[in-house]
């Protein structure tokens, strides 16, 4: 089946026209481009001018997968959309309260814009966590049949100014590869392989507008590339052909110019935000939604002009290239204890540690040097998982206990970790103090252990401390037992599954025009008549 799409209009309204027709304004700017799509039943009302939006679509990439999602939206198929990210995506820090986040705004608009589609939207973001965290629990945060995933980790992940070869970037790349491949999912499967179909991705790069100047005890505006992962993520976007949007590219110049679009940074990043001014308010989330919808509208325009081309099909079916920075390894989760009841079941004894909730997250905590927490774990690797590597533990498979510890900038301590029972590990000190950045995150600390059905991991609050006033706070919020697999360099060698696609193979002449049936499908999408019979293919 092929599709022909009729005109998608991008209407640019001049200032006089906008003002005479009551065009909306933004801080005194009365005229701006109004983007309109005839394929959309409910138009999106943009708050940002097109001159700003053009900067934000950082990389268009290979749009074949995103085009397929849009075709499914237009023709009434089931479409599942998910979001992975940190506190911004989880709607933390919005001064106007919950319900104003960019994903909530998109979730309200999409069913109106594509009323025939059977939409399922899931916000899988977790506040105060980097991508390494969600990498271990991803299948519990996304629908297994997800079609489109938005990734937002440019703020929550750590930034290295000298190289891309560090774990935060590796983690994002592993997530990208898992989603593009449709590889086995990683959650609570007890070693069973849970398949997931390949998904389309859109990289959403949030921006940290300001940083805390400890010398002046105040915030200052960031430079264009300062403390910003946009460029590193853009390299991944280019390498894998993933469309991406960048908040920095749209707002940085306007913030620093003060040219009328924004009179002050506080209009988007409230000054009462104690977390390095990284949480935008409702207006900032509306701007983020503008940027995402602009990317969708631009792709709709390309779809109208070219359809899904032979080149699109080649890129959809193309095996993934070798990993760029992730050294061909991935973590396969064998045991995951991130939910309250699971974590409590993994604890065999807690001397001086207490269970409680902080910032909505459950965990065991202590402030007492010498306090001991014992974990009773099974660190053996099921055969189904070993087969995903090079065969057996010790030959391509290494076992890690991943401890999800709170890392923060005030009053944090050092935890000393040892192993006993049937397993061994190198005694290790993990410092959870982070004086260099005014942020608090659940951070993964990896401890390599030997396989054993009875592995006792002891966490002892140390007398050591690098925090102010020699404080000793330790918080354990979750854990996972993972098998670190050495994977083949190319997805083709690992039996990569091709996406489920609808339409004719490019070898049969699909060049974006199509025949009578394709025209009828588009006519129905536009409400212009055509066959009344609904497309039965699902």
């Amino acid at each position: 089946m092929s599709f022909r799409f009729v005109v998608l209009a991008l209407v640019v309204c001049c200032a006089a026209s906008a003002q005479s027709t009551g065009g909306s304004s933004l801080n005194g700017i009365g005229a701006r481009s109004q983007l309109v799509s005839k394929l959309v039943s409910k138009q999106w009302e943009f708050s940002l001018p097109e001159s700003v939006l053009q900067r934000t679509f950082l990389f268009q990439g290979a749009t074949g997968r995103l085009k397929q999602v849009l075709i499914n939206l237009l023709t009434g198929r089931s479409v599942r959309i998910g979001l992975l990210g940190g506190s911004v995506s989880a709607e933390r820090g919005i001064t106007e309260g919950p319900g104003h986040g960019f994903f909530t705004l998109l979730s309200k608009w999409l069913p109106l814009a594509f009323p025939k589609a059977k939409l399922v939207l899931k916000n899988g973001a977790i506040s105060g966590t980097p991508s390494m965290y969600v990498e271990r629990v991803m299948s519990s945060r996304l629908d297994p049949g997800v079609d489109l995933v938005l990734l937002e980790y440019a703020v929550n992940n750590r930034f290295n100014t000298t190289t891309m070869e560090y774990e935060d970037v590796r983690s994002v790349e592993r997530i990208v590869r898992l989603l593009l491949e449709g590889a086995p999912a990683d959650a609570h499967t007890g070693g069973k392989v849970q398949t997931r179909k390949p998904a389309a991705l859109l990289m959403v790069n949030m921006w940290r507008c300001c940083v805390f100047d400890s010398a002046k005890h105040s915030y200052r505006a960031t430079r264009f590339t300062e403390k910003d992962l946009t460029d590193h993520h853009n390299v991944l976007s280019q390498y894998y052909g993933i469309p991406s949007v960048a908040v920095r590219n749209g707002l940085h110049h306007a913030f620093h110019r003060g040219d009328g679009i924004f009179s002050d940074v506080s209009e988007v990043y409230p000054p009462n935000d104690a977390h390095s001014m990284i949480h935008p308010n409702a207006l900032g989330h509306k701007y983020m939604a503008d940027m995402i919808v602009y990317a969708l509208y631009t792709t709709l325009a390309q779809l109208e002009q070219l359809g899904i081309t032979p080149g699109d099909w080649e890129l959809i079916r193309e095996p993934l290239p070798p990993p760029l920075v992730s050294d061909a390894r991935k973590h396969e989760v064998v045991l995951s204890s991130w939910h309250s009841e699971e974590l409590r079941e993994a604890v065999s004894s807690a001397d001086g540690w207490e269970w409680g909730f902080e910032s909505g997250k459950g965990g065991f905590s202590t402030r007492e040097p010498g306090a001991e927490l014992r974990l009773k774990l099974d660190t053996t690797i099921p055969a189904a998982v070993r087969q995903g590597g090079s065969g057996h533990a010790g030959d391509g498979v290494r076992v890690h206990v991943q401890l999800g510890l709170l890392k923060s900038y005030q009053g944090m301590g050092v935890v000393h970790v040892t192993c006993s029972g049937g397993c061994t590990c190198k005694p290790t000190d993990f410092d959870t103090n982070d004086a260099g950045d005014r942020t608090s995150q659940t951070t993964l600390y990896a401890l390599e252990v030997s396989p054993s059905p009875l592995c006792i991991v002891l966490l002892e609050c140390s007398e050591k401390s690098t925090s102010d006033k020699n404080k000793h706070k330790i918080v354990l919020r979750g854990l996972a037992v993972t098998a670190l697999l050495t994977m083949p360099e190319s997805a083709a060698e690992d039996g990569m599954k091709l996406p489920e696609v609808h339409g004719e193979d490019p070898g049969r002449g699909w060049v974006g025009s199509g025949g009578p049936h394709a025209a009828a499908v588009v006519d129905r999408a536009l409400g212009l008549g055509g066959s009344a019979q609904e497309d039965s293919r699902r």
Side-chain angles (χ1 to χ4, degrees):
M1 170 178 45
S2 61
F3 296 89
R4 177 175 62 88
F5 287 89
V6 191
V7 175
L8 168 64
L10 298 178
V11 182
V12 180
C13 302
C14 65
S17 172
Q19 291 171 350
S20 64
T21 58
S24 55
S25 63
L26 180 64
N27 291 349
I29 298 180
R32 66 178 189 276
S33 300
Q34 300 297 309
L35 306 176
V36 180
S37 169
K38 290 184 179 179
L39 299 178
V40 173
S41 298
K42 170 68 175 177
Q43 300 301 327
W44 178 265
E45 297 181 5
F46 289 92
S47 297
L48 286 172
E50 189 180 5
S51 60
V52 172
L53 290 170
Q54 286 180 353
R55 290 180 180 272
T56 68
F57 200 0
L58 185 63
F59 182 64
Q60 186 164 324
T63 57
R65 294 190 188 211
L66 186 55
K67 285 180 182 177
Q68 182 62 46
V69 171
L70 292 170
I71 288 174
N72 290 344
L73 286 170
L74 288 165
T75 55
R77 292 190 175 95
S78 175
V79 175
R80 293 173 171 83
I81 300 176
L83 170 64
L84 296 177
S87 54
V88 174
S89 293
E91 303 191 6
R92 291 291 301 275
I94 303 178
T95 53
E96 295 83 354
H100 295 86
F102 72 89
F103 195 73
T104 296
L105 299 177
L106 294 173
S107 299
K108 292 178 179 178
W109 171 71
L110 284 167
L112 301 176
F114 304 97
K116 295 180 181 179
K118 304 172 183 67
L119 276 159
V120 177
L121 297 108
K122 181 175 181 177
N123 188 339
I126 310 173
S127 65
T129 59
S131 60
M132 288 88 77
Y133 184 112
V134 83
E135 184 186 354
R136 275 54 165 180
V137 298
M138 190 161 61
S139 62
S140 67
R141 312 306 298 180
L142 291 176
D143 189 305
V146 68
D147 300 285
L148 171 63
V149 179
L150 311 182
L151 290 178
E152 183 269 310
Y153 283 107
V155 166
N156 281 57
N157 279 4
R158 307 286 171 170
F159 178 63
N160 189 314
T161 59
T162 60
T163 180
M164 285 185 60
E165 295 288 341
Y166 61 104
E167 190 60 21
D168 296 76
V169 177
R170 291 190 184 104
S171 173
V172 173
E173 184 178 19
R174 287 193 294 264
I175 292 173
V176 165
R177 293 182 69 89
L178 284 168
L179 292 172
L180 290 179
E181 288 176 349
D186 58 358
H188 326 275
T189 59
K192 298 178 182 178
V193 176
Q194 178 183 352
T195 59
R196 178 178 56 244
K197 71 178 184 180
L201 299 182
L202 178 64
M203 195 83 79
V204 181
N205 293 293
M206 187 49 200
W207 178 49
R208 181 178 299 191
C209 78
C210 309
V211 293
F212 186 75
D213 188 332
S214 57
K216 297 181 179 179
H217 298 284
S218 62
Y219 292 97
R220 61 168 178 80
T222 53
R223 297 181 293 276
F224 191 68
T225 59
E226 185 180 9
K227 286 187 174 290
D228 191 272
L229 274 166
T230 298
D231 295 322
H232 287 178
H233 287 177
N234 190 41
V235 171
L236 293 177
S237 294
Q238 294 176 64
Y239 189 72
Y240 290 102
I242 301 168
S244 66
V245 299
V247 175
R248 178 197 69 184
N249 288 27
L251 301 187
H252 176 273
H253 294 344
F255 280 159
H256 284 265
R257 284 196 309 262
D259 61 359
I261 298 178
F262 313 101
S263 59
D264 189 86
V265 68
S266 63
E267 293 181 25
V268 177
Y269 293 88
N272 62 343
D273 185 351
H275 301 286
S276 301
M277 295 184 73
I278 60 176
H279 293 146
N281 59 12
L283 180 62
H285 276 271
K286 176 58 170 63
Y287 291 164
M288 292 178 67
D290 278 2
M291 298 171 193
I292 294 168
V293 175
Y294 180 77
L296 296 180
Y297 268 40
T298 303
T299 307
L300 274 170
Q302 187 185 82
L303 184 61
E304 177 272 323
Q305 293 168 0
L306 301 174
I308 293 188
T309 68
D312 287 329
W313 285 105
E314 289 180 17
L315 291 173
I316 287 173
R317 294 189 167 109
E318 185 178 74
L320 294 186
L324 181 64
V325 295
S326 63
D327 65 11
R329 300 187 303 172
K330 73 172 184 177
H331 286 275
E332 187 74 25
V333 175
V334 179
L335 169 70
S336 183
S337 299
W338 296 104
H339 303 292
S340 296
E341 62 278 6
E342 295 169 339
L343 180 57
R344 297 179 78 168
E345 288 176 2
V347 173
S348 62
S349 66
D351 182 10
W353 293 66
E354 294 182 352
W355 172 263
F357 286 85
E358 184 179 357
S359 300
K361 299 182 179 72
F364 286 91
S365 65
T366 185
R367 299 175 187 266
E368 302 175 18
E372 295 183 344
L373 184 77
R374 284 178 172 80
L375 305 172
K376 183 179 178 180
L377 306 172
D378 182 352
T379 59
T380 57
I381 305 302
V385 174
R386 289 201 306 270
Q387 291 168 4
S390 57
H392 54 84
D395 180 13
V397 181
R398 293 157 55 193
V399 185
H400 286 84
V401 173
Q402 308 273 349
L403 301 173
L405 299 169
L406 173 64
K407 189 172 187 177
S408 190
Y409 56 94
Q410 229 172 9
M412 304 305 295
V414 175
V415 62
H416 182 66
V417 185
T418 56
C419 298
S420 62
C423 70
T424 58
C425 66
K426 180 180 179 181
T428 304
D429 286 341
F430 292 129
D431 189 352
T432 65
N433 179 50
D434 185 12
D437 203 354
R438 293 177 64 84
T439 58
S440 300
Q441 285 191 350
T442 302
T443 302
L444 291 174
Y445 293 80
L447 181 75
E448 186 167 358
V449 302
S450 62
S452 170
L454 180 59
C455 181
I456 305 299
V457 178
L458 173 64
L459 281 67
E460 180 182 359
C461 184
S462 175
E463 293 278 358
K464 302 176 184 178
S465 178
T466 61
S467 68
D468 56 326
K469 299 180 182 179
N470 196 36
K471 297 295 180 65
H472 301 280
K473 181 179 178 181
I474 302 293
V475 181
L476 176 68
R477 288 178 169 170
L479 64 91
V481 176
T482 66
L484 185 60
L485 309 180
T486 300
M487 302 302 293
E489 287 193 347
S490 171
E493 301 173 33
D494 199 23
M496 173 181 171
K497 297 181 180 179
L498 298 178
E500 178 185 353
V501 290
H502 304 283
E504 296 181 15
D505 186 89
R508 298 172 60 188
W510 189 350
V511 293
S513 56
H517 178 67
V521 170
V522 175
D523 287 344
R524 291 198 303 276
L526 292 171
L528 299 177
S531 172
Q533 182 180 1
E534 290 293 333
D535 178 16
S536 60
R537 293 187 64 181
R538 294 290 183 266

